[in-house]
Amino acid sequence: MTSPIAPEAPETPETPETHGTAVPGRRQPRARGRAPELQGLRGLAALSTVVFHVWQQYHTYDAAGSHPPVDNPYVGALFSLEVIDLFFVMSAYLLTLSYARAAVDGEEGAVRPGRVFLFRRAIRILPVYFLAVLVVWSTRNPTLPGDWRDLVEHLTFTHVFDRERIFYTLGPSWSLSLEVAFYLVLVALGPLAVRACRKLRTRRARVALCAAGCAVLFAAPLAWISCAHYVLGVPHTDWPVYFGPQARFGGFAAGMALAVLLTALGDERGRLRARWATALSAAALAGLLTLSYLSAPENLAHTFYHPIASVLWCALLYAALHIRPRERQRLGWHRLLRARWATSVGLVSYSLYVWHEPVLLQLDASGVLPSSQAGFPVAVLVVVLVALAAGTASYWLVEYPAGLLGRAKDAGGRARDFYPEAATATVAEPRAVAEVGAASSR
């Protein structure tokens, strides 16, 4: 799996009084609170990922092929539903929102400098990730030099291009390579889009330009996948071809398009009534389950699974985010997403995502998990509880303290002055002494 890694929330820009001056005719920054629904959805998706990997662990293989722990195609479609595209879409939506608002509405101070953006992303993902890679790699390579190439590739996020090592050490961490690639693309293209939109007079033209850019970014992976599968005949087991950013960037492009869409609609237009939000959510979930049910190696649903899933996840997020405020509380599934336990899991979802596979494999190697497929439900319960404990500890001991480093810099990337009153007092004190001395002499 923002990785899940969806980031914590769109960053709140500085106000015009603290960062530049307001420009007449341009909209100023809007308040950007954390959306509890996204936090809860991220928590549910993280738990789903844990269950999915336990499901994979309990497959058995023989001459007739693979056999899931529950031999029912509908149950299999439910457990095999991949949520990695949801994390990509959510991450891209949250991080693109400030660029979209700056490009479409000219919000002052909406976008932080690239170095600040990358610094905040680094302290968000690197401490937990590097710690997990070093711990897991060292336990599996007790004698030096070990598989040093695997270590170097994981530390540089290049293992996604290695067919043999893409799933080594931390199997799900291939998605973090795509996250890092997206950060670099966004910090390069985002400011270009903002500057290009400043030259356009109408808001409609600015929206069209941003939407066209998202469409190109979504179409490029489709062209890559089509060429690889239908022209070159590359099998789906050539992992770097179908797991690399050139094939999976469609999820990020879809999330970027969602940010542009919601920015274009603004705070009032396009908001759904409760019944329409429910219908759209149900249709999106039905489409995802159908896609999972129909997916089989090399068929159409399997080949284009992730681009299609990204669009469906976008529809689900739209239904979760763009609802009429007075009707939000009428939705039972919204209350589920806002539930304390779901948002709590969402808070630690990144650490849970990073550590759950090592926890699963260690529990299995230690004989704690049931050995037969009949023990799958028990295994799910045990792995979820232990992985949650590990993820929670990792969040509070590593992830949260590292996140506090973000306060060391202000919105412009300068070192923050935590004691401005002390500097003022230092300057004022000599002046006061001089004034007293002058008065005494008089």
Side-chain angles (χ1 to χ4, degrees):
M1 203 181 6
T2 91
S3 115
I5 318 190
E8 58 278 6
E11 298 173 350
T12 303
E14 301 294 318
T15 62
E17 289 76 16
T18 59
H19 185 80
T21 57
V23 177
R26 288 188 178 178
R27 300 188 182 186
Q28 301 307 317
R30 288 165 279 186
R32 303 185 185 184
R34 186 189 301 262
E37 291 85 359
L38 292 184
Q39 186 93 323
L41 186 58
R42 187 159 58 240
L44 295 177
L47 290 176
S48 173
T49 300
V50 178
V51 175
F52 171 70
H53 286 130
V54 178
W55 172 266
Q56 284 187 323
Q57 183 72 12
Y58 272 78
H59 271 62
T60 60
Y61 302 88
D62 55 26
S66 65
H67 305 280
V70 180
D71 192 13
N72 183 293
Y74 302 105
V75 175
L78 176 62
F79 280 109
S80 299
L81 180 63
E82 296 185 49
V83 298
I84 185 63
D85 300 295
L86 170 61
F87 289 113
F88 292 159
V89 170
M90 198 183 304
S91 178
Y93 163 72
L94 289 171
L95 293 177
T96 305
L97 199 56
S98 58
Y99 287 101
R101 289 174 173 174
V104 173
D105 291 330
E107 288 191 356
E108 288 299 312
V111 179
R112 298 179 184 271
R115 65 182 183 280
V116 178
F117 175 87
L118 294 177
F119 171 74
R120 294 177 69 89
R121 294 298 92 211
I123 62 176
R124 169 80 169 123
I125 70 170
L126 294 186
V128 171
Y129 174 73
F130 280 172
L131 176 63
V133 167
L134 292 174
V135 168
V136 175
W137 185 89
S138 62
T139 58
R140 297 177 185 174
N141 295 267
T143 59
L144 296 177
D147 190 349
W148 61 267
R149 181 175 174 180
D150 173 59
L151 178 62
V152 171
E153 289 181 353
H154 273 79
L155 294 179
T156 57
F157 297 99
T158 56
H159 56 292
V160 72
F161 302 109
D162 188 331
R163 183 176 180 179
E164 295 182 359
R165 296 174 177 83
I166 184 173
F167 303 126
Y168 273 26
T169 305
L170 292 177
S173 69
W174 63 269
S175 65
L176 292 181
S177 299
L178 273 63
E179 283 278 342
V180 171
F182 168 67
Y183 298 158
L184 297 176
V185 170
L186 183 62
V187 82
L189 296 183
L192 293 178
V194 173
R195 286 196 292 269
C197 285
R198 286 175 181 168
K199 301 177 182 179
L200 302 177
R201 294 184 178 182
T202 66
R203 190 172 188 268
R204 178 175 296 182
R206 295 193 292 271
V207 171
L209 177 62
C210 293
C214 295
V216 170
L217 292 174
F218 186 84
L222 285 177
W224 173 277
I225 294 171
S226 300
C227 181
H229 182 76
Y230 295 107
V231 178
L232 302 179
V234 180
H236 75 279
T237 52
D238 195 336
W239 314 121
V241 173
Y242 295 106
F243 278 70
Q246 74 283 351
R248 293 294 186 91
F249 203 84
F252 296 108
M256 296 169 75
L258 180 63
V260 173
L261 173 62
L262 293 189
T263 299
L265 291 175
D267 295 330
E268 300 299 331
R269 292 181 299 171
R271 287 194 175 272
L272 302 174
R273 293 184 179 274
R275 62 176 180 272
W276 289 111
T278 300
L280 180 59
S281 301
L285 288 174
L288 288 163
L289 290 173
T290 302
L291 186 65
S292 179
Y293 176 79
L294 296 176
S295 179
E298 310 298 355
N299 72 359
L300 183 67
H302 182 272
T303 302
F304 295 101
Y305 180 98
H306 299 285
I308 298 173
S310 298
V311 175
L312 293 172
W313 286 122
C314 271
L316 184 66
L317 286 179
Y318 182 90
L321 294 170
H322 214 58
I323 303 175
R324 296 188 177 187
R326 294 182 179 180
E327 302 195 31
R328 189 179 298 270
Q329 299 300 326
R330 295 173 55 187
L331 298 172
W333 61 277
H334 248 258
R335 291 195 292 271
L336 170 63
L337 295 180
R338 298 168 70 95
R340 180 67 178 271
W341 69 267
T343 57
S344 297
V345 176
L347 181 67
V348 303
S349 59
Y350 175 53
S351 286
L352 174 63
Y353 179 78
V354 170
W355 288 106
H356 79 274
E357 190 203 50
V359 166
L360 166 62
L361 297 180
Q362 184 60 42
L363 290 174
D364 186 57
S366 302
V368 175
L369 301 182
S371 57
S372 66
Q373 288 187 318
F376 168 70
V378 176
V380 168
L381 179 62
V382 172
V383 173
V384 166
L385 291 177
V386 178
L388 271 175
T392 302
S394 174
Y395 175 81
W396 290 111
L397 296 176
V398 182
E399 191 177 344
Y400 178 77
L404 295 178
L405 293 174
R407 301 180 183 179
K409 295 182 181 296
D410 62 17
R414 298 174 295 272
R416 190 182 298 275
D417 186 0
F418 290 96
Y419 304 100
E421 64 280 0
T424 303
T426 302
V427 174
E429 183 177 353
R431 292 180 179 175
V433 172
E435 291 175 0
V436 170
S440 300
S441 63
R442 289 196 297 268

